[in-house]
Amino acid sequence: MASPKKPDDCYYYAGGERITLTPAQDLLAFDQAAASKGALDKVVAGLSARPLTSGVSLVEQDQISAKDRQALSQAGALRPVFRAADAILVVLPEIRVEDSRPGQVEQLQDWFSKHCDDVEVESPRAGRFTVRPKSGSGEDALALSNALVEELGAQVSQVRFVRVVPRPGTAKP
């Protein structure tokens, strides 16, 4: 699965519009459960991390050494962090896909079956899917979500974000 590598590749679709994302060079996000599974509890215990929802924490990048960053990456614990407008967005490895047009559900299911080596798909209701890249990568989720819009014109294909917005009366999130 192709992951976004350059800033031009960092975007998502909302309401049919392409929204550009800017990589947050100063921040890292990590999944606490994946860090624990990778036996990296000691690495993350000493960080001044800001806990978010979904078991994700946000930290200033300069708090983590290159060696520890590599270990977190190898454990699949790092999550991509972007800025868009006044928000910080952490990309989780999950996509919500919805389409109710005649014939489109079948096209989506056919696409999923052709990519079964790359994705896991749940369909709790007709025309609604939860898609997860088997890689566990937020970058892959972002690329997959964009591909579903660009290749199939899915009505809704939205990667799951943890969105951090400024508190009222403050300048930064």
Side-chain angles (χ1 to χ4, degrees):
M1 176 125 341
S3 299
K5 299 293 184 201
K6 305 177 302 239
D8 291 347
D9 294 338
C10 300
Y11 61 93
Y12 69 100
Y13 289 93
E17 292 188 39
R18 183 174 161 153
I19 311 297
T20 300
L21 297 169
T22 303
Q25 302 295 335
D26 58 330
L27 299 171
L28 287 174
F30 62 90
D31 180 286
Q32 186 66 50
S36 291
K37 188 175 178 181
L40 297 167
D41 290 321
K42 288 182 181 179
V43 169
V44 298
L47 300 174
S48 295
R50 178 179 177 185
L52 306 174
T53 61
S54 302
V56 174
S57 293
L58 192 63
V59 66
E60 295 287 331
Q61 183 166 265
D62 60 5
Q63 286 191 50
I64 302 177
S65 70
K67 177 184 170 195
D68 288 343
R69 198 174 315 134
Q70 180 66 26
L72 287 166
S73 179
Q74 288 177 339
L78 290 182
R79 300 289 176 249
V81 183
F82 296 97
R83 295 184 193 283
D86 66 345
I88 294 169
L89 302 174
V90 179
V91 183
L92 301 180
E94 184 174 288
I95 306 153
R96 177 181 63 114
V97 181
E98 295 182 18
D99 208 312
S100 59
R101 296 173 293 178
Q104 191 64 16
V105 171
E106 291 79 14
Q107 285 184 2
L108 285 166
Q109 289 172 326
D110 183 51
W111 196 93
F112 295 143
S113 68
K114 289 178 182 172
H115 293 85
C116 65
D117 290 342
D118 298 325
V119 298
E120 296 173 355
V121 180
E122 295 175 20
S123 183
R125 289 191 269 181
R128 294 184 181 189
F129 305 90
T130 300
V131 181
R132 292 178 191 88
K134 288 184 179 178
S135 67
S137 164
E139 289 95 345
D140 286 349
L142 191 58
L144 177 62
S145 178
N146 291 339
L148 288 166
V149 172
E150 294 164 356
E151 293 176 24
L152 297 178
Q155 283 181 318
V156 175
S157 181
Q158 181 68 57
V159 71
R160 185 169 168 218
F161 293 112
V162 174
R163 186 177 303 267
V164 182
V165 296
R167 289 187 177 144
T170 64
K172 340 186 313 194

